[in-house]
Amino acid sequence: MDGPRSDMGRWRGSPTTPSPEPEPDRDRDRDRDRRSRRGGARSFWARCCGCCSCRNREDDDWGPEPSGSRAPGSRNRGSSSWNRRTESRGSGVNAAGDGTIREGMLVVTGVDLLSSRSDQNRREHHTDEFEYDDLIVRRGQPFHLVLFLNRPYESSDRMALELLIGNNPEVGKGTHVIIPVDKGSSGGWKAHVTKASGQNLNLRVHISPNAIIGKFQFTVRTRCEAGEFQLPLDPRNEIYILFNPWCPEDIVYVDHEDWRQEYVLNESGRIYYGTEAQIGERTWNYGQFDHGVLDACLYILDRRGMPYGGRGDPVSVSRVISAMVNSLDDNGVLIGNWSGDYSRGTNPSAWVGSVEILLSYLRTGYSVPYGQCWVFAGVTTTVLRCLGLATRTVTNFNSAHDTDTSLTMDIYFDENMKPLEHLNHDSVWNFHVWNDCWMKRPDLPSGFDGWQVVDATPQETSSGIFCCGPCSVESIKNGLVYMKYDTPFIFAEVNSDKVYWQRQEDGSFKIVYVEEKAIGTLIVTKAVSSNMREDITHTYKHPEGSEAERKAVETAAAHGSKPNVYATRDSAEDVAMQVEAQDAVMGQDLTLCVVLTNRGSSRRTVKLHLYLSVTYYTGVTGSIFKESKKEVVLAPGASEQVTMPVAYKEYRPHLVDQGAMLLNVSGHVKESGQVLAKQHTFRVRTPDLSLTLLGAAVVGQECEVQIIFKNPLPITLTNVVFRLEGSGLQRPKVLNVGDIGGNETVTLRQTFVPVRPGPRQLIASLDSPQLSQVHGVIQVDVAPASGGRVFSEAGGDSRSGESIPMASRGGA
């Protein structure tokens, strides 16, 4: 179904145990040096420049490859090539390889990559927010640099720039880039002299729009009548190259500046959860520009063993990221856990951003416990935005998990409409969070460019591993489930039907009800340029009930394992049923209500059964803890309400993550035989944290924030942990505050030092065994430091496990 393209999510021989710092292969380097010395080897200039390929061998023999001393076993984690250090920046190699500098040679004594965050390069490439002092540029766009020479540059001098990535760079694979200066374009790369002033040479270098992304080593070769010189590789001259959504020639190009600002440059966002009727939202710190995050993103590709030659393809890169953000198969970033027991790690609800997770993975090489769908999606947004892909975090409410490729959600009941749980393998998640990323799809027919779904939550395998996508949203919308990648699974998540099957007396099953609007009822994301919620359901599916929507579903179902499912459909009905749940806060009593309406002209008698249980957001339910049975007589055109009150003391012992409950309602109309069935999920809300800024925020100056929380429960919260972080404000910080009594109010204060100006988000969470999913956020408008400094090297501590005394405690 995926077509001839090989799977880009897995490569043979990729590491299965943490190995963040491999030893260098010295034998390989010696072999490469020997090859470069062979008399029959093609010269450097013959390989890079056609006009130089006819010179005699004496003129063309440039000697050995770049050399320099390596620190034993050293490699910058996340970098894409070995660091080669030299004793001094000005030393180099000549044609003889002995380091002798002869009179008249053109020697590069230094390089200025103009890599400061305030320099032209970083501003023009939209990388000035990265908390790095290295040169970070985007492909398909020029950058500037200055070479310092031992003498003025002359017209007879020849010069080439080189970029190398990987352990075995090759010109043919794009991992060894050679750019002759003032010699025209070379595979989309070119370099020109913009100014020659004394012994300084200014160059403008244009990057190919198809370049590999990653961290490149940089060197310069010169040649003149006096001899040849090569600048040693120096880690201070390494260059990061990223995808470029500002470049029309890059297949990740986005033709909306406000989209680029939101989906590439915004460091925080909103993630939605809960149920369609009771939508919750939380702010997430993506932190893609925080120091170390870019290295962590590149380290993820290294850990997967992704070939460097494939790292220029966003389809391949996004597929690898979907596999690597979860830990299954490959010891990736996050360990998924839906058990409710998080004692060996962090409750997924307690995370407030991606930075702490990614830096822990980079630092230790071990998968981080624990994640659930919104955490996987938040981290994926961080990684893809960091690498230059326009990405958004998407929530699908009533998201189906189709386990048998039927493209329907099948629920089985016995003769009395009691659920047959041993047959109910499909599940409907209250919500599921994944990602959309924007790119062209040259591997698909025309018409499938644009938003592509990538889902890092490990649900089902794809080509044998736990990854999902990229899948064109347009193919999902039209039910074209034969398009790669993983379209059938994602289509079923958003646009399948819920089919109720009842066992008959002879043991066979019959469809008694089809709920056509139960799956993918609402698909949302954060709006561009605001914190409002945007409904994007229309991009995934045609209007419910429309001819186009029905055609898409039935076309897709024809490719599933049950293509004739609609042939046995029986839809006669004149009694309608609606379920409602009041909005309640954790710790309060609540009331459920079922409304029956007789739309026919005859009296109807309905036998109604209500079963209440707790449920995880993944659709996995606990045992029934309350039930009710009632017979209702409906006159023609009449409506009747059936209520079920639920006290806090009844549901408290049973609550699980997210505070969600599931009401199963089934009924039978005595006169007509009509079957009624409805599953209604609702949640009890948790309180918010109140954050207040105490004083103005200025770059480099200490600032204080106050956090207030009131325990809504009559019981003590034990082992309470706060988390606090915000890009440009505070590195991830964990605060242990001990116990909080029943209905008690607590206040704590924390200081932080802003490092970047502009509007920032400071995000906090609270977690305890008795209460989770408690969050708060405040916008902090940071002024530049006095004296004109835009950035500060100071930063909020990333302290973990600090015990914090309460500033004050109050009663209810």
PDB file of all heavy atoms in Angstrom, residues 392-414:
ATOM      1  N   ARG A 392       2.602  22.303  13.300  1.00  0.00           N
ATOM      2  CA  ARG A 392       1.614  22.686  14.297  1.00  0.00           C
ATOM      3  C   ARG A 392       1.151  21.446  15.055  1.00  0.00           C
ATOM      4  O   ARG A 392       1.228  20.320  14.545  1.00  0.00           O
ATOM      5  CB  ARG A 392       0.432  23.402  13.650  1.00  0.00           C
ATOM      6  CG  ARG A 392      -0.368  22.590  12.645  1.00  0.00           C
ATOM      7  CD  ARG A 392      -1.376  23.469  11.908  1.00  0.00           C
ATOM      8  NE  ARG A 392      -2.227  22.728  10.985  1.00  0.00           N
ATOM      9  CZ  ARG A 392      -3.109  23.290  10.158  1.00  0.00           C
ATOM     10  NH1 ARG A 392      -3.226  24.621  10.143  1.00  0.00           N
ATOM     11  NH2 ARG A 392      -3.853  22.560   9.360  1.00  0.00           N
ATOM     12  N   THR A 393       0.685  21.657  16.268  1.00  0.00           N
ATOM     13  CA  THR A 393       0.185  20.591  17.119  1.00  0.00           C
ATOM     14  C   THR A 393      -1.326  20.535  16.981  1.00  0.00           C
ATOM     15  O   THR A 393      -2.006  21.548  17.162  1.00  0.00           O
ATOM     16  CB  THR A 393       0.585  20.845  18.581  1.00  0.00           C
ATOM     17  OG1 THR A 393       2.002  21.045  18.654  1.00  0.00           O
ATOM     18  CG2 THR A 393       0.211  19.660  19.453  1.00  0.00           C
ATOM     19  N   VAL A 394      -1.857  19.366  16.655  1.00  0.00           N
ATOM     20  CA  VAL A 394      -3.267  19.200  16.288  1.00  0.00           C
ATOM     21  C   VAL A 394      -3.931  18.233  17.259  1.00  0.00           C
ATOM     22  O   VAL A 394      -3.368  17.190  17.605  1.00  0.00           O
ATOM     23  CB  VAL A 394      -3.385  18.659  14.849  1.00  0.00           C
ATOM     24  CG1 VAL A 394      -4.828  18.334  14.501  1.00  0.00           C
ATOM     25  CG2 VAL A 394      -2.813  19.668  13.858  1.00  0.00           C
ATOM     26  N   THR A 395      -5.150  18.578  17.696  1.00  0.00           N
ATOM     27  CA  THR A 395      -5.939  17.689  18.552  1.00  0.00           C
ATOM     28  C   THR A 395      -7.191  17.238  17.815  1.00  0.00           C
ATOM     29  O   THR A 395      -7.929  18.063  17.267  1.00  0.00           O
ATOM     30  CB  THR A 395      -6.350  18.392  19.855  1.00  0.00           C
ATOM     31  OG1 THR A 395      -5.173  18.786  20.567  1.00  0.00           O
ATOM     32  CG2 THR A 395      -7.163  17.459  20.743  1.00  0.00           C
ATOM     33  N   ASN A 396      -7.417  15.925  17.816  1.00  0.00           N
ATOM     34  CA  ASN A 396      -8.615  15.330  17.227  1.00  0.00           C
ATOM     35  C   ASN A 396      -9.475  14.771  18.359  1.00  0.00           C
ATOM     36  O   ASN A 396      -9.043  13.895  19.107  1.00  0.00           O
ATOM     37  CB  ASN A 396      -8.217  14.207  16.261  1.00  0.00           C
ATOM     38  CG  ASN A 396      -9.421  13.480  15.692  1.00  0.00           C
ATOM     39  OD1 ASN A 396     -10.429  14.098  15.376  1.00  0.00           O
ATOM     40  ND2 ASN A 396      -9.310  12.157  15.549  1.00  0.00           N
ATOM     41  N   PHE A 397     -10.687  15.301  18.492  1.00  0.00           N
ATOM     42  CA  PHE A 397     -11.573  14.811  19.538  1.00  0.00           C
ATOM     43  C   PHE A 397     -12.391  13.621  19.028  1.00  0.00           C
ATOM     44  O   PHE A 397     -12.816  13.596  17.876  1.00  0.00           O
ATOM     45  CB  PHE A 397     -12.505  15.928  20.019  1.00  0.00           C
ATOM     46  CG  PHE A 397     -11.782  16.969  20.840  1.00  0.00           C
ATOM     47  CD1 PHE A 397     -11.365  18.158  20.257  1.00  0.00           C
ATOM     48  CD2 PHE A 397     -11.468  16.739  22.172  1.00  0.00           C
ATOM     49  CE1 PHE A 397     -10.679  19.110  20.997  1.00  0.00           C
ATOM     50  CE2 PHE A 397     -10.780  17.679  22.923  1.00  0.00           C
ATOM     51  CZ  PHE A 397     -10.376  18.871  22.333  1.00  0.00           C
ATOM     52  N   ASN A 398     -12.584  12.645  19.917  1.00  0.00           N
ATOM     53  CA  ASN A 398     -13.207  11.365  19.557  1.00  0.00           C
ATOM     54  C   ASN A 398     -12.416  10.708  18.427  1.00  0.00           C
ATOM     55  O   ASN A 398     -12.890  10.530  17.312  1.00  0.00           O
ATOM     56  CB  ASN A 398     -14.676  11.551  19.168  1.00  0.00           C
ATOM     57  CG  ASN A 398     -15.513  12.027  20.327  1.00  0.00           C
ATOM     58  OD1 ASN A 398     -15.447  11.481  21.424  1.00  0.00           O
ATOM     59  ND2 ASN A 398     -16.307  13.070  20.106  1.00  0.00           N
ATOM     60  N   SER A 399     -11.197  10.382  18.761  1.00  0.00           N
ATOM     61  CA  SER A 399     -10.244   9.845  17.789  1.00  0.00           C
ATOM     62  C   SER A 399     -10.268   8.321  17.831  1.00  0.00           C
ATOM     63  O   SER A 399     -10.056   7.712  18.883  1.00  0.00           O
ATOM     64  CB  SER A 399      -8.837  10.369  18.106  1.00  0.00           C
ATOM     65  OG  SER A 399      -7.913   9.964  17.132  1.00  0.00           O
ATOM     66  N   ALA A 400     -10.519   7.716  16.702  1.00  0.00           N
ATOM     67  CA  ALA A 400     -10.678   6.265  16.660  1.00  0.00           C
ATOM     68  C   ALA A 400      -9.331   5.560  16.546  1.00  0.00           C
ATOM     69  O   ALA A 400      -8.390   6.073  15.957  1.00  0.00           O
ATOM     70  CB  ALA A 400     -11.560   5.872  15.478  1.00  0.00           C
ATOM     71  N   HIS A 401      -9.251   4.387  17.141  1.00  0.00           N
ATOM     72  CA  HIS A 401      -8.080   3.519  17.024  1.00  0.00           C
ATOM     73  C   HIS A 401      -8.565   2.210  16.414  1.00  0.00           C
ATOM     74  O   HIS A 401      -9.047   1.316  17.102  1.00  0.00           O
ATOM     75  CB  HIS A 401      -7.443   3.290  18.389  1.00  0.00           C
ATOM     76  CG  HIS A 401      -6.175   2.496  18.332  1.00  0.00           C
ATOM     77  ND1 HIS A 401      -5.352   2.326  19.418  1.00  0.00           N
ATOM     78  CD2 HIS A 401      -5.579   1.837  17.313  1.00  0.00           C
ATOM     79  CE1 HIS A 401      -4.313   1.592  19.072  1.00  0.00           C
ATOM     80  NE2 HIS A 401      -4.447   1.272  17.796  1.00  0.00           N
ATOM     81  N   ASP A 402      -8.434   2.120  15.085  1.00  0.00           N
ATOM     82  CA  ASP A 402      -8.939   0.978  14.317  1.00  0.00           C
ATOM     83  C   ASP A 402      -7.881  -0.116  14.306  1.00  0.00           C
ATOM     84  O   ASP A 402      -6.834   0.022  13.680  1.00  0.00           O
ATOM     85  CB  ASP A 402      -9.269   1.437  12.892  1.00  0.00           C
ATOM     86  CG  ASP A 402      -9.847   0.330  12.031  1.00  0.00           C
ATOM     87  OD1 ASP A 402     -10.264  -0.695  12.585  1.00  0.00           O
ATOM     88  OD2 ASP A 402      -9.874   0.510  10.795  1.00  0.00           O
ATOM     89  N   THR A 403      -8.166  -1.234  14.973  1.00  0.00           N
ATOM     90  CA  THR A 403      -7.152  -2.290  15.101  1.00  0.00           C
ATOM     91  C   THR A 403      -7.229  -3.348  14.017  1.00  0.00           C
ATOM     92  O   THR A 403      -6.311  -4.167  13.897  1.00  0.00           O
ATOM     93  CB  THR A 403      -7.301  -2.993  16.464  1.00  0.00           C
ATOM     94  OG1 THR A 403      -8.615  -3.572  16.549  1.00  0.00           O
ATOM     95  CG2 THR A 403      -7.103  -2.012  17.603  1.00  0.00           C
ATOM     96  N   ASP A 404      -8.314  -3.378  13.233  1.00  0.00           N
ATOM     97  CA  ASP A 404      -8.472  -4.485  12.274  1.00  0.00           C
ATOM     98  C   ASP A 404      -8.596  -4.003  10.830  1.00  0.00           C
ATOM     99  O   ASP A 404      -9.033  -4.747   9.963  1.00  0.00           O
ATOM    100  CB  ASP A 404      -9.689  -5.340  12.642  1.00  0.00           C
ATOM    101  CG  ASP A 404     -11.002  -4.543  12.613  1.00  0.00           C
ATOM    102  OD1 ASP A 404     -10.958  -3.344  12.286  1.00  0.00           O
ATOM    103  OD2 ASP A 404     -12.057  -5.137  12.927  1.00  0.00           O
ATOM    104  N   THR A 405      -8.218  -2.769  10.570  1.00  0.00           N
ATOM    105  CA  THR A 405      -8.229  -2.165   9.225  1.00  0.00           C
ATOM    106  C   THR A 405      -9.603  -2.214   8.566  1.00  0.00           C
ATOM    107  O   THR A 405      -9.717  -2.216   7.348  1.00  0.00           O
ATOM    108  CB  THR A 405      -7.190  -2.821   8.285  1.00  0.00           C
ATOM    109  OG1 THR A 405      -7.590  -4.172   7.990  1.00  0.00           O
ATOM    110  CG2 THR A 405      -5.804  -2.806   8.908  1.00  0.00           C
ATOM    111  N   SER A 406     -10.678  -2.256   9.362  1.00  0.00           N
ATOM    112  CA  SER A 406     -12.022  -2.250   8.783  1.00  0.00           C
ATOM    113  C   SER A 406     -12.452  -0.851   8.408  1.00  0.00           C
ATOM    114  O   SER A 406     -13.430  -0.672   7.684  1.00  0.00           O
ATOM    115  CB  SER A 406     -13.026  -2.833   9.784  1.00  0.00           C
ATOM    116  OG  SER A 406     -13.124  -1.993  10.925  1.00  0.00           O
ATOM    117  N   LEU A 407     -11.742   0.164   8.910  1.00  0.00           N
ATOM    118  CA  LEU A 407     -12.085   1.571   8.714  1.00  0.00           C
ATOM    119  C   LEU A 407     -13.436   1.914   9.334  1.00  0.00           C
ATOM    120  O   LEU A 407     -14.104   2.854   8.932  1.00  0.00           O
ATOM    121  CB  LEU A 407     -12.061   1.946   7.225  1.00  0.00           C
ATOM    122  CG  LEU A 407     -10.682   1.803   6.571  1.00  0.00           C
ATOM    123  CD1 LEU A 407     -10.769   2.077   5.084  1.00  0.00           C
ATOM    124  CD2 LEU A 407      -9.670   2.713   7.214  1.00  0.00           C
ATOM    125  N   THR A 408     -13.852   1.104  10.303  1.00  0.00           N
ATOM    126  CA  THR A 408     -15.027   1.402  11.122  1.00  0.00           C
ATOM    127  C   THR A 408     -14.672   1.070  12.573  1.00  0.00           C
ATOM    128  O   THR A 408     -13.773   0.270  12.840  1.00  0.00           O
ATOM    129  CB  THR A 408     -16.246   0.548  10.711  1.00  0.00           C
ATOM    130  OG1 THR A 408     -15.905  -0.841  10.823  1.00  0.00           O
ATOM    131  CG2 THR A 408     -16.671   0.863   9.290  1.00  0.00           C
ATOM    132  N   MET A 409     -15.363   1.737  13.506  1.00  0.00           N
ATOM    133  CA  MET A 409     -15.210   1.413  14.922  1.00  0.00           C
ATOM    134  C   MET A 409     -16.337   0.463  15.298  1.00  0.00           C
ATOM    135  O   MET A 409     -17.508   0.854  15.306  1.00  0.00           O
ATOM    136  CB  MET A 409     -15.288   2.680  15.787  1.00  0.00           C
ATOM    137  CG  MET A 409     -14.155   3.656  15.564  1.00  0.00           C
ATOM    138  SD  MET A 409     -12.549   2.925  15.906  1.00  0.00           S
ATOM    139  CE  MET A 409     -11.979   2.621  14.221  1.00  0.00           C
ATOM    140  N   ASP A 410     -15.997  -0.769  15.581  1.00  0.00           N
ATOM    141  CA  ASP A 410     -17.000  -1.805  15.800  1.00  0.00           C
ATOM    142  C   ASP A 410     -17.160  -2.095  17.291  1.00  0.00           C
ATOM    143  O   ASP A 410     -16.186  -2.399  17.984  1.00  0.00           O
ATOM    144  CB  ASP A 410     -16.590  -3.081  15.060  1.00  0.00           C
ATOM    145  CG  ASP A 410     -16.437  -2.832  13.565  1.00  0.00           C
ATOM    146  OD1 ASP A 410     -17.438  -2.474  12.943  1.00  0.00           O
ATOM    147  OD2 ASP A 410     -15.315  -2.972  13.045  1.00  0.00           O
ATOM    148  N   ILE A 411     -18.415  -1.990  17.773  1.00  0.00           N
ATOM    149  CA  ILE A 411     -18.723  -2.247  19.175  1.00  0.00           C
ATOM    150  C   ILE A 411     -19.754  -3.366  19.215  1.00  0.00           C
ATOM    151  O   ILE A 411     -20.808  -3.282  18.566  1.00  0.00           O
ATOM    152  CB  ILE A 411     -19.271  -0.986  19.867  1.00  0.00           C
ATOM    153  CG1 ILE A 411     -18.288   0.175  19.710  1.00  0.00           C
ATOM    154  CG2 ILE A 411     -19.531  -1.252  21.341  1.00  0.00           C
ATOM    155  CD1 ILE A 411     -18.824   1.484  20.202  1.00  0.00           C
ATOM    156  N   TYR A 412     -19.451  -4.409  19.978  1.00  0.00           N
ATOM    157  CA  TYR A 412     -20.288  -5.606  19.990  1.00  0.00           C
ATOM    158  C   TYR A 412     -21.056  -5.732  21.307  1.00  0.00           C
ATOM    159  O   TYR A 412     -20.514  -5.487  22.386  1.00  0.00           O
ATOM    160  CB  TYR A 412     -19.422  -6.845  19.766  1.00  0.00           C
ATOM    161  CG  TYR A 412     -18.747  -6.852  18.408  1.00  0.00           C
ATOM    162  CD1 TYR A 412     -17.463  -6.316  18.238  1.00  0.00           C
ATOM    163  CD2 TYR A 412     -19.396  -7.361  17.292  1.00  0.00           C
ATOM    164  CE1 TYR A 412     -16.857  -6.298  16.998  1.00  0.00           C
ATOM    165  CE2 TYR A 412     -18.798  -7.361  16.037  1.00  0.00           C
ATOM    166  CZ  TYR A 412     -17.525  -6.823  15.897  1.00  0.00           C
ATOM    167  OH  TYR A 412     -16.928  -6.809  14.664  1.00  0.00           O
ATOM    168  N   PHE A 413     -22.338  -6.142  21.184  1.00  0.00           N
ATOM    169  CA  PHE A 413     -23.218  -6.316  22.333  1.00  0.00           C
ATOM    170  C   PHE A 413     -23.868  -7.697  22.271  1.00  0.00           C
ATOM    171  O   PHE A 413     -23.991  -8.295  21.189  1.00  0.00           O
ATOM    172  CB  PHE A 413     -24.323  -5.249  22.335  1.00  0.00           C
ATOM    173  CG  PHE A 413     -23.823  -3.837  22.429  1.00  0.00           C
ATOM    174  CD1 PHE A 413     -23.419  -3.133  21.297  1.00  0.00           C
ATOM    175  CD2 PHE A 413     -23.743  -3.193  23.660  1.00  0.00           C
ATOM    176  CE1 PHE A 413     -22.960  -1.833  21.389  1.00  0.00           C
ATOM    177  CE2 PHE A 413     -23.294  -1.895  23.759  1.00  0.00           C
ATOM    178  CZ  PHE A 413     -22.890  -1.205  22.617  1.00  0.00           C
ATOM    179  N   ASP A 414     -24.316  -8.176  23.434  1.00  0.00           N
ATOM    180  CA  ASP A 414     -25.061  -9.436  23.438  1.00  0.00           C
ATOM    181  C   ASP A 414     -26.523  -9.167  23.116  1.00  0.00           C
ATOM    182  O   ASP A 414     -26.908  -8.036  22.759  1.00  0.00           O
ATOM    183  CB  ASP A 414     -24.885 -10.166  24.773  1.00  0.00           C
ATOM    184  CG  ASP A 414     -25.519  -9.427  25.953  1.00  0.00           C
ATOM    185  OD1 ASP A 414     -26.252  -8.435  25.717  1.00  0.00           O
ATOM    186  OD2 ASP A 414     -25.272  -9.829  27.100  1.00  0.00           O
TER     187      ASP A 414
END
